[in-house]
C-alpha cells in the first residue's frame, strides 16, 4: 500500500459533522465539456490527496464513498468526467476516492466484472461505506443529486440528455448506481457473465430485488445527466446472450458474482495518482 487513508480518528472525535443538506449547492447547471488535460486538472484541483481522495475541508463527513469507473480507452471522457465531478462533489462535502478500473488487452468489455474488481481492490485500501458504480461518459448536472448511499440501493442516472432527460424505462438501473458496502455484499455484486454490451445493469436490479431491497431514485430534475457523445466502442459488441442470461439472474445470484470474480482476474498495474487510483486488470471472461 502506498497511500494512507486517514480520517477515522478525526471522524470519531470531531463534533463538526457535515450537514445532511450541504450549504453550497447551486442546483442545475450546464456541464463543462471543454477539452482539458490531466496536468490542468491536477493544477486546478489542489484539494486532491494521493490516490484520488477528496474530502471536505471544514466538516467531518458521514460516509466514505468509493466511485468505481470501468474504463478502456476513454481518456478524454475520463478527464471531462473528473473536471465536472470534483467541483460537484466538493460542493456536496463528499469524502470520496476515485478508482479507475481499466480492462487490459482486447478481450470483450465486461462492465459488471470490472465493478466487482473495483469493489475488491478498493476494499484493500479502505472499507468504504458507499460504493458508487459510475460510467465514464455521463456527467451529473444538478448537485442536489447527492452522491451518498442509504437504506436502499439508488439509481442515480435517471434522466439522460440522450432520452430527452426522461427515464428510459421504469426498470432502468444503468449509468450510475450506488449501494452501501453491506448491500453490495448482500446482492453478491454484479454478474461476471455479461460479456459485451447490455443487460448487466438489469441483472443487478434483479439481484437487488431478489434480496428484498428496493431501488430508489431522485426526481428527473435532480437526477439529470449528459452523456458525452461517442462512437460505439470497439470491443464492446452487443451481447446476443443477454436475454437468456437475464432470465436466470436470480438463480445465479448466489453462485456467481462478487464471490467468484477473484478467480477470473489479475491486477497488472496499480497506480495511486493524484486524481485517482488506477488499476489495470486482465479478465479471463469465463465467469
Ligand atoms: C437496455 C439494456 C441496458 C442498457 C439500456 C440503456 C438490455 C436487456 C434486454 C433484455 N438492457 O436495453 O443494459 O443500459 O438499454 O442503453 O439489453
Amino acid at each position: 500500500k502506498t497511500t494512507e487513508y486517514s480520517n477515522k480518528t478525526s471522524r470519531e472525535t470531531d463534533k463538526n459533522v457535515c450537514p445532511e443538506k450541504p450549504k453550497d449547492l447551486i442546483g442545475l447547471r450546464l456541464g463543462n465539456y471543454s477539452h482539458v488535460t490531466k496536468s490542468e486538472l491536477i493544477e486546478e484541483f489542489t484539494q486532491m490527496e494521493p490516490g484520488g481522495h477528496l474530502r471536505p475541508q471544514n466538516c467531518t463527513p458521514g460516509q466514505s464513498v468509493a466511485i468505481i469507473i470501468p474504463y478502456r480507452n476513454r481518456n478524454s471522457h475520463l478527464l471531462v468526467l473528473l473536471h465536472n465531478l470534483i467541483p460537484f462533489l466538493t460542493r456536496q462535502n463528499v469524502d470520496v476516492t476515485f478508482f479507475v478500473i481499466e480492462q487490459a488487452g482486447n478481450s470483450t468489455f465486461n462492465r459488471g466484472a470490472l465493478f466487482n474488481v473495483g469493489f475488491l481492490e478498493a476494499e484493500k485500501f479502505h472499507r468504504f461505506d458507499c460504493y458508487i458504480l459510475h460510467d465514464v461518459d455521463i456527467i451529473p448536472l444538478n448537485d442536489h443529486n447527492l452522491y451518498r448511499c442509504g437504506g436502499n440501493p439508488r439509481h442515480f442516472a435517471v434522466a439522460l440528455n440522450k432520452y430527452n432527460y426522461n427515464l428510459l424505462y421504469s426498470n432502468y438501473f444503468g449509468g450510475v448506481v450506488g449501494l452501501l458496502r453491506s448491500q453490495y455484499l448482500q446482492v453478491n455484486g454484479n454478474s461476471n457473465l455479461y460479456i459485451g454490451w447490455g443487460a448487466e445493469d438489469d441483472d443487478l436490479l434483479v439481484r437487488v430485488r431478489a434480496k428484498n431491497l428496493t431501488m430508489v431514485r431522485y426526481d428527473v430534475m435532480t437526477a439529470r445527466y449528459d452523456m458525452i457523445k461517442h462512437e460505439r466502442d470497439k470491443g464492446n459488441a452487443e451481447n446476443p446472450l443477454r436475454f437468456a442470461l437475464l432470465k436466470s439472474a436470480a438463480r445465479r445470484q448466489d453462485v456467481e458474482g462478487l464471490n467468484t470474480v477473484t478467480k477470473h482476474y489479475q491486477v497488472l498495474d496499480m497506480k495511486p495518482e493524484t486524481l485517482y487510483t488506477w488499476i489495470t486488470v486482465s479478465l479471463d471472461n469465463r465467469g
Side-chain angles (χ1 to χ4, degrees), residues 2 20 36 50 60 72 77 122 183 197 208 210 237 264 273 275:
T2 39
E20 193 53 32
V36 67
T60 309
R72 185 155 67 190
H77 292 173
Q183 292 161 351
W197 184 89
V208 161
H264 300 287
E273 298 195 21
L275 299 172

Side-chain angles (χ1 to χ4, degrees), residues 87-148:
F88 171 95
L89 295 170
T90 301
R91 293 196 297 277
Q92 293 189 356
N93 287 330
V94 185
D95 180 332
V96 59
T97 307
F98 298 101
F99 292 90
V100 178
I101 314 298
E102 178 186 33
Q103 183 172 335
N106 299 316
S107 57
T108 306
F109 201 65
N110 188 333
R111 181 174 177 269
L114 291 171
F115 282 133
N116 289 336
V117 170
F119 179 93
L120 294 177
E121 293 302 317
E123 292 267 298
K124 295 179 181 171
F125 290 89
H126 182 73
R127 280 189 171 206
F128 292 93
D129 300 310
C130 170
Y131 286 82
I132 295 188
L133 316 182
H134 211 298
D135 278 351
V136 71
D137 58 357
I138 70 172
I139 310 295
L141 302 178
N142 187 335
D143 58 14
H144 289 101
N145 186 7
L146 295 172
Y147 272 28
R148 54 168 81 132

Side-chain angles (χ1 to χ4, degrees), residues 56-99:
Q57 303 301 305
N58 301 317
C59 60
T60 309
Q63 287 186 345
S64 57
V65 179
I67 295 190
I68 312 288
I69 306 166
Y71 178 94
R72 185 155 67 190
N73 196 22
R74 291 281 203 95
N75 191 49
S76 64
H77 292 173
L78 178 64
L79 296 173
V80 166
L81 176 68
L82 293 169
H83 199 191
N84 286 273
L85 268 184
I86 294 170
F88 171 95
L89 295 170
T90 301
R91 293 196 297 277
Q92 293 189 356
N93 287 330
V94 185
D95 180 332
V96 59
T97 307
F98 298 101
F99 292 90

Side-chain angles (χ1 to χ4, degrees), residues 119-275:
F119 179 93
L120 294 177
E121 293 302 317
E123 292 267 298
K124 295 179 181 171
F125 290 89
H126 182 73
R127 280 189 171 206
F128 292 93
D129 300 310
C130 170
Y131 286 82
I132 295 188
L133 316 182
H134 211 298
D135 278 351
V136 71
D137 58 357
I138 70 172
I139 310 295
L141 302 178
N142 187 335
D143 58 14
H144 289 101
N145 186 7
L146 295 172
Y147 272 28
R148 54 168 81 132
C149 296
N152 279 298
R154 180 170 295 278
H155 179 226
F156 286 99
V158 177
L160 296 174
N161 60 338
K162 196 176 173 185
Y163 313 116
N164 300 315
Y165 299 113
N166 287 310
L167 184 62
L168 184 57
Y169 54 99
S170 64
N171 287 334
Y172 181 49
F173 200 53
V176 183
V177 300
L179 297 90
L180 287 172
R181 174 176 190 276
S182 57
Q183 292 161 351
Y184 201 70
L185 290 168
Q186 190 186 354
V187 305
N188 196 22
N190 278 267
S191 170
N192 305 306
L193 299 181
Y194 291 82
I195 298 162
W197 184 89
E200 79 295 336
D201 47 357
D202 304 302
D203 186 293
L204 182 61
L205 181 60
V206 171
R207 288 172 177 240
V208 161
R209 290 181 168 155
K211 298 296 177 186
N212 281 317
L213 296 165
T214 325
M215 166 242 301
V216 294
R217 292 192 178 109
Y218 294 123
D219 62 88
V220 286
M221 241 348 169
T222 304
R224 254 192 195 219
Y225 285 80
D226 278 347
M227 183 180 281
I228 304 170
K229 282 209 181 85
H230 58 89
E231 313 270 291
R232 172 54 66 87
D233 292 312
K234 292 195 190 82
N236 192 22
E238 248 181 67
N239 174 10
L241 303 175
R242 69 189 186 283
F243 306 97
L245 276 168
L246 188 56
K247 285 194 182 133
S248 62
R251 255 185 293 131
R252 284 181 288 98
Q253 171 162 35
D254 294 327
V255 295
E256 178 273 301
L258 186 61
N259 64 353
T260 53
V261 75
T262 313
K263 294 177 285 190
H264 300 287
Y265 81 94
Q266 243 188 318
V267 174
L268 302 184
D269 195 17
M270 210 283 300
K271 293 192 292 265
E273 298 195 21
T274 307
L275 299 172

